Amino acid sequence: MAGVVVIGAGQAGASLVAKLRNDGYAGAITLIGNEAVPPYQRPPLSKKYLLGEMALERLYLRPESYYAEAGIDLRLGSHVTGIDRAAHEIVIGDERLEYEHLVLATGSLPRRLPAAIGGDLGGVHVVRTLTDVDAMAPGFVAGARVLIVGGGYIGLEAAAVAAARGMQVVLVEMAERILQRVAAQETSDYFRALHARYGVDIREGVGLERLLGDAQVRGARLSDGTEMDVDMVIVGVGIVPDTRLAEAAGLAIDNGIAVDGQGRTSDPAIWAVGDCASFPHQAGRLRLESVPNAIDMAECVAGNILGKAQDYVPKPWFWSDQYDVKLQIAGLSAGYDRIVTRDGGEAVSFWYYCGDRLLAVDAMNDPRAYMVGKRLIDAGKTADPMIVADAGADLKPLLQR
Ligand code: FAD
C-alpha cells in the first residue's frame, strides 16, 4: 500500500499526483492537505475572486470527483505533524501512514506583522488562502478605508481590486519604490502611474510604525509620523517557504527545502516541489514562487519517481493583473545592467539585458512582446535592442535569427 504520499494539496501537489497517474503510475497515491477544500488556484484570490467575480468552484484545479475517479486518496483538512524517516512513515495526529516515495509540497507561509505593532488586531489580513480572502470579504466594501502594507505584486493587486470596489486605498512601501525587489524602475514607474489614475495613494519610502486600535484595527501610524484612520489592513510583505516539517525531520534546508537537480531532498526517498523547494541553478540555488514553477517542477519530479532521471530546468514566467493591464513577465531579471523600452502606447514592454544577453521581459498589454521574449530567453538567444526599441518594427523575425 505504501506508494507515493504527497504532503500539501496545493498547485504543486495536485499537479504531481495527476501527472503520476496520467503517466501510468499504478501504485497507491495519497494527497494530503490541511485546507478544507480541494486543490485550487491561488492567483485569482488577489484578483477576480477578491472582486467577487469568480465562483468558488471555478477556483478548483479539478472537480472534486476527479481524485476518486483517478484512484487518488485525497485527504482534506488533515495536517501532517511529522515525518519518521527511519520508518518511512508520516504522522497525522494519532495516525501513521507508510510511504515508498514522500513528496513535500508544503508551499509558503505569508509573513505577518508582529503582534507588538498591532499585527494581531481584528481587520488585519494576509492573502494566501481561500480562508484568508473569505475572512476579508465582509469588510471589502465601497467607501471603506484600507491600508495596504507592501508594494509587491500581491499588495498592488489587492490595491487595484480595492480601488475597483470603490474603497479608499493607501499603500505604503518601505523601500524606495514599489516592486523594488522584483522589477526595474521603469516597471515601478508604470504601475505607480497606473494606480494614481485610479486614485490609489501610494507612499514609497514609508513604513508602518504601528497599527492602532483595541481589538479591531482603527488606525495606523506611519514611519513619517502620519496617523490615519483605517477600517482594514492588508499585509503583503512577502512569504517564507514552509520548511517546518522538513527541518524537524533533519532534511537539508537552504532558502527552502534543498533538492538536487532532479528534485530529491537530502533523503533519497523524499522529494520537494513548488514554492517550498530550492534547486541548483547556475552557480547557486533558486527558489521560485509561481504557478508555472509549481506545475513544471511537480511534473518533472513525477517523471523522476517513474524512473526518468531528468533534471529540472526552469523556464520562469509570471503574470499579474491590475485594472485593465495584464503584465506578463518572461525570464529572471536579476543581474541586469540596462533596460530597453518598447513603447507602443497601450502596449509597453521593458527588456532587461546584461551586456548583450537578454534576461527578462516585462510586457504590459503586449502578449506578442512577451511571447517573443519568452521564446528567445528559453532558447538562450538575445534580441537586437535596436529592433526591440522600435515599436513599429515586427518582433517575430527575431525568432528566426
Ligand atoms: P501552495 O499552493 O501554497 O500549496 C501548499 C499547500 O500545502 C497548502 O494548501 C498548505 O496549507 C499545505 N500544507 C502545508 N503544510 C502542510 C502540512 N503539514 N499538512 C498538510 N498540508 C500542508 N503565481 C503566479 O505564477 N502568478 C500569479 O498571478 C500569482 N498570483 C498569486 C496571488 C496570490 C494571492 C497568491 C497567494 C499566490 C499567487 N501566486 C501567483 C503564487 C502561486 O499561487 C504559488 O507559487 C503556488 O500556489 C505554489 O504552489 P505550491 O503547491 O508550491 O504551494
Side-chain angles (χ1 to χ4, degrees), residues 260-337:
D260 66 12
Q262 296 182 13
R264 233 181 244 105
T265 68
S266 51
D267 179 331
I270 307 181
W271 311 75
V273 292
D275 274 20
C276 67
S278 79
F279 51 86
H281 182 70
Q282 294 169 357
R285 305 191 70 80
L286 183 63
R287 191 176 59 77
L288 294 171
E289 300 164 357
S290 74
V291 165
N293 174 67
I295 296 172
D296 294 349
M297 192 175 186
E299 294 194 343
C300 176
V301 166
N304 290 338
I305 290 173
L306 288 163
K308 280 199 176 149
Q310 57 202 358
D311 274 347
Y312 175 51
V313 181
K315 295 186 173 162
W317 65 277
F318 191 78
W319 75 93
S320 175
D321 299 330
Q322 294 169 48
Y323 311 103
D324 52 357
V325 173
K326 179 155 205 79
L327 164 68
Q328 292 168 291
I329 303 169
L332 296 173
S333 60
Y336 72 94
D337 56 20

Side-chain angles (χ1 to χ4, degrees), residues 7-11 31-42 45 56 59-60 64 74-80 105-110 127-134 242:
I7 306 176
Q11 182 72 63
L31 177 60
I32 305 170
N34 56 9
E35 295 186 66
V37 287
Y40 59 92
Q41 334 167 40
R42 294 190 197 281
L45 294 183
L56 174 63
L59 284 183
Y60 294 167
E64 195 166 2
L74 174 63
R75 304 198 185 180
L76 298 174
S78 294
H79 187 73
V80 177
T106 47
S108 306
L109 299 166
V127 195
R128 181 73 197 173
T129 65
L130 197 53
T131 311
D132 294 334
V133 175
D134 287 345
D242 189 345

